[in-house]
Amino acid sequence: MLTNNNKIFHRKKITVVFFICAGVFLLLFARLVYLMVWRADHYSQLADELHERERSIKAARGRILDRNQTVLADNKTVCTVSVIHNQVEEPKEVIEVLSRELGLSEEYVRKRVEKYSSIERIKSNVDKDVGDKIREYDLAGVKVDEDYKRYYPYGELASKVLGFTGGDNQGIIGLEVVYEEILKGEPGTILTVTDAKGIEVETSGERRIEPISGNDLVISMDVNIQSYATQLARQAMAAKEADSVSILVMNPKNGEMLAMVNVPEFDLNDPYEISDAGENLTDEEKQNLLNAVWRNGCINDTYEPGSTFKIVTAAAGLEEGVVTPESTFSCPGFILVDDRKIRCHKVAGHGAETFVQATMNSCNPVFITVGLRLGVDNYYKYFEQFGLMQKTGIDLPGEAGTIMHKKEDMGNVELATVAFGQSFQITPIQLLTTASSIINGGNRVTPHFGVKTLNEEGEVLSVLEYPVTEGIVSEETSAIMRNMLEMVVSQGSGKNGGIEGFRIGGKTATSQTLPRDSGRYIASFIGFAPADDPQVIALAIVNNPQGVYYGGQVAAPIVRQLFENILPYLGIMGYNQ
């Protein structure tokens, strides 16, 4: 029998338990209200995501346009064909139709159709006609989504400059990769609702997040100049059985590239095509072969510039005051530097000559003398002042740097060979940029293609700007150099680069590749017009020409033919017009 004290104790315990249970219930109720009211949107979104199936929609990539807004890189509507395993009702028919229409093996398609995944891509970049045909079969579980594939209207034209995109529409090389952020846009999404088994709920329809197209890029290239330069390069390569031919055309005043050719080129619409010679190669060997095909020698490769580099030695000598146009020299056909006898290209020598005449004659002993007068310290000072120890900053990937002797390792012999363009290496774009700086009044410009960006309506979003370094040389030295280089073309070794009625300046070069007994040469010519006020500068390089290999006979005529056509096109008139 319970005493009163025991009754009171048990009553208290029951009361405590009751209030504890009530408290727990209130906490659970409060939590439930919180989840159902304040967190309802969050969990509703999670539920939707659990039952939503997502398919990506590619954004239309921004176009690349030339300076006249001719389309160089565009988009072509294609399709992506996918399957959703849980929605396929007739797998045998799906496998048969897709393998036939897409040109794929039944085994390949079967693996993807039978794979348990939310969505399995069968093939992308399918021609729209084929995609529409597959859509007409109305096969359950088969999705045909339209997207975009990059398309290049001019095929091989400027292939190593423009670059191309991969299967995901992302830039691989060239301008396509440099301006990826401008061109790429933002992909969209197709959302469909499924039940617990993954079957699409037809009554719910689709929800689309529309893609945002990329912005257009206007570049300085002129498709007409690029086309003609490419034609000349191909003709020269065939005529001289050369390994490659490069032609660069630039506005020396602001660095805008009008053309950049490096033949042989490749088809931008089929960049992975390999010749029959590559059939039995390993994957690594094929990739190395493709990398070589895609390589842009104008910026990725260095070479010994030879006598075109005498422009730099002359400008440095004039600027430092160790030589004047009227300075006199005597060339016996060679010069002794320490224990080394370095010959002139004219074995008999040029005899007595002024510095202007030595430049016209491209006389090695005279330029060696100027280099030695400058000395190692001064030569390095101007080498750096002219920007030769830095990359040009061109808006293309993989620019190579100058390969030069270390200052402490440079003796008189090394200085002598550098003075006339040997024993070191630079890129063609570096030579063109440095020469431009010397003849344009002394401003180091940044070579570039990008000019401005446009939106879908053609409105200007941004104008791209590039650094300019002033005072590379004085205006006086620049004027002297323009005059001297005009005489090289009008009366000297660059006569084949001249055009009647036009003032053309320039410099030829014939450099021998390493090893020196290889019998391989590089013929080049750099020319600009008008000589008194340069508005266009061009460099032509012929790598390993057969037969006659001199720059004045092989490369100078290329620039002459180029100027004959593009000077009137650019509105540059001759002095008789």
Side-chain angles (χ1 to χ4, degrees):
M1 184 173 179
L2 293 172
T3 65
N4 287 333
N5 288 337
N6 286 336
K7 289 180 180 179
I8 293 170
F9 174 75
H10 285 294
R11 192 177 297 122
K12 285 182 179 180
K13 284 178 65 177
I14 292 170
T15 302
V16 170
V17 170
F18 171 79
F19 280 110
I20 290 174
C21 290
V24 171
F25 176 78
L26 287 173
L27 288 173
L28 291 173
F29 181 77
R31 176 66 176 169
L32 181 62
V33 171
Y34 169 74
L35 293 176
M36 293 181 66
V37 178
W38 280 279
R39 298 287 287 170
D41 291 342
H42 170 70
Y43 286 101
S44 177
Q45 182 180 348
L46 290 179
D48 288 343
E49 290 177 357
L50 182 63
H51 290 282
E52 277 184 338
R53 203 171 298 279
E54 181 178 298
R55 308 202 305 275
S56 177
I57 312 172
K58 286 182 184 177
R61 194 172 173 84
R63 301 173 302 168
I64 299 178
L65 314 171
D66 87 335
R67 66 188 305 107
N68 302 311
Q69 299 206 10
T70 301
V71 179
L72 301 175
D74 206 346
N75 299 297
K76 182 179 180 181
T77 302
V78 292
C79 297
T80 295
V81 180
S82 308
V83 293
I84 299 174
H85 177 80
N86 286 349
Q87 297 178 11
V88 174
E89 296 175 359
E90 299 290 343
K92 186 176 180 181
E93 183 183 5
V94 168
I95 293 169
E96 191 274 327
V97 169
L98 294 186
S99 61
R100 182 180 68 248
E101 298 297 342
L102 297 176
L104 301 172
S105 68
E106 288 195 5
E107 181 183 359
Y108 175 89
V109 177
R110 181 178 293 105
K111 285 182 179 179
R112 280 149 183 79
V113 171
E114 295 176 352
K115 186 175 180 180
Y116 286 86
S117 63
S118 59
I119 188 167
E120 189 71 17
R121 180 180 296 179
I122 302 297
K123 189 175 182 180
S124 58
N125 292 330
V126 177
D127 286 345
K128 189 175 183 303
D129 292 342
V130 176
D132 290 341
K133 189 173 181 181
I134 292 173
R135 192 181 284 117
E136 289 174 0
Y137 283 98
D138 195 24
L139 298 169
V142 176
K143 300 299 178 183
V144 181
D145 298 319
E146 291 188 359
D147 55 28
Y148 299 96
K149 177 183 179 182
R150 208 55 161 161
Y151 170 66
Y152 302 90
Y154 290 89
E156 292 188 1
L157 190 72
S159 60
K160 299 177 182 181
V161 175
L162 297 176
F164 58 91
T165 61
D168 57 357
N169 234 15
Q170 185 176 27
I172 300 294
I173 65 170
L175 295 174
E176 289 278 23
V177 69
V178 172
Y179 290 102
E180 174 69 18
E181 292 303 311
I182 290 172
L183 296 167
K184 69 177 183 179
E186 296 181 19
T189 306
I190 299 174
L191 299 169
T192 56
V193 178
T194 64
D195 59 19
K197 295 181 178 180
I199 305 300
E200 193 171 298
V201 180
E202 295 183 5
T203 57
S204 66
E206 289 185 342
R207 188 159 62 91
R208 292 171 66 93
I209 300 174
E210 295 297 334
I212 300 174
S213 299
N215 296 318
D216 291 345
L217 173 70
V218 177
I219 63 175
S220 57
M221 178 185 293
D222 188 303
V223 69
N224 295 311
I225 296 176
Q226 179 77 24
S227 297
Y228 188 62
T230 302
Q231 178 184 335
L232 289 174
R234 286 175 175 159
Q235 289 174 353
M237 185 173 173
K240 298 304 299 179
E241 299 178 359
D243 292 347
S244 63
V245 177
S246 299
I247 300 176
L248 300 89
V249 187
M250 186 173 80
N251 181 337
K253 293 181 179 292
N254 58 18
E256 289 186 352
M257 298 298 304
L258 302 176
M260 180 179 285
V261 178
N262 189 194
V263 296
E265 304 265 0
F266 62 92
D267 186 357
L268 286 168
N269 294 309
D270 192 8
Y272 294 93
E273 180 184 7
I274 299 179
S275 64
D276 294 340
E279 287 184 353
N280 298 319
L281 299 178
T282 64
D283 290 343
E284 182 179 357
E285 289 171 336
K286 285 181 180 178
Q287 189 58 56
N288 291 336
L289 181 59
L290 286 171
N291 290 338
V293 170
W294 300 338
R295 192 174 182 83
N296 186 346
C298 296
I299 61 166
N300 301 142
D301 296 331
T302 58
Y303 77 116
E304 288 187 339
S307 293
T308 49
F309 196 76
K310 291 173 181 174
I311 295 173
V312 173
T313 301
L318 292 167
E319 193 75 358
E320 189 64 19
V322 300
V323 69
T324 67
E326 296 77 25
S327 296
T328 58
F329 300 86
S330 178
C331 169
F334 65 91
I335 186 173
L336 292 173
V337 180
D338 292 345
D339 60 345
R340 184 76 60 85
K341 185 177 184 179
I342 303 176
R343 297 187 178 279
C344 183
H345 67 88
K346 185 176 181 180
V347 179
H350 293 103
E353 55 188 345
T354 65
F355 187 53
V356 173
Q357 291 171 328
T359 304
M360 292 163 55
N361 295 329
S362 196
C363 181
N364 287 349
V366 169
F367 280 87
I368 290 172
T369 301
V370 172
L372 293 174
R373 287 180 183 179
L374 280 165
V376 171
D377 288 342
N378 271 332
Y379 208 95
Y380 257 88
K381 180 185 78 173
Y382 285 104
F383 213 86
E384 293 180 350
Q385 181 174 310
F386 292 168
L388 286 158
M389 295 305 290
Q390 301 174 355
K391 296 178 182 180
T392 67
I394 189 170
D395 50 351
L396 285 172
E399 181 183 5
T402 299
I403 302 173
M404 182 62 171
H405 304 280
K406 291 182 179 179
K407 187 176 179 180
E408 58 270 22
D409 297 334
M410 195 169 182
N412 286 335
V413 173
E414 289 76 20
L415 177 58
T417 54
V418 169
F420 65 91
Q422 287 190 359
S423 79
F424 74 102
Q425 296 194 351
I426 61 174
T427 59
I429 191 63
Q430 179 68 265
L431 176 64
L432 187 75
T433 303
T434 306
S436 295
S437 307
I438 290 171
I439 64 166
N440 70 5
N443 299 319
R444 172 85 180 190
V445 296
T446 301
H448 61 273
F449 283 96
V451 175
K452 58 187 175 182
T453 62
L454 310 174
N455 62 18
E456 283 188 282
E457 288 71 41
E459 299 169 334
V460 177
L461 294 175
S462 65
V463 176
L464 305 178
E465 298 182 355
Y466 304 87
V468 176
T469 304
E470 299 180 349
I472 296 298
V473 295
S474 66
E475 291 188 6
E476 180 185 3
T477 295
S478 183
I480 293 172
M481 288 301 302
R482 290 196 298 269
N483 183 61
M484 289 173 57
L485 293 171
E486 182 179 8
M487 295 183 71
V488 169
V489 174
S490 62
Q491 304 174 43
S493 59
K495 284 183 178 180
N496 288 330
I499 305 172
E500 186 176 352
F502 286 88
R503 299 183 63 178
I504 310 293
K507 186 73 188 73
T508 62
T510 308
S511 53
Q512 191 173 18
T513 63
L514 295 173
R516 298 298 181 201
D517 59 354
S518 66
R520 297 169 62 89
Y521 293 86
I522 299 174
S524 61
F525 178 79
I526 190 166
F528 56 91
D532 57 330
D533 181 25
Q535 297 177 47
V536 61
I537 186 169
L539 172 63
I541 301 173
V542 182
N543 183 22
N544 192 30
Q546 303 304 301
V548 176
Y549 52 79
Y550 297 109
Q553 295 174 267
V554 175
I558 297 175
V559 175
R560 183 194 72 236
Q561 293 175 71
L562 178 72
F563 281 177
E564 284 174 342
N565 280 270
I566 73 170
L567 294 184
Y569 172 73
L570 293 171
I572 300 173
M573 297 294 105
Y575 53 77
N576 290 330
Q577 297 172 318

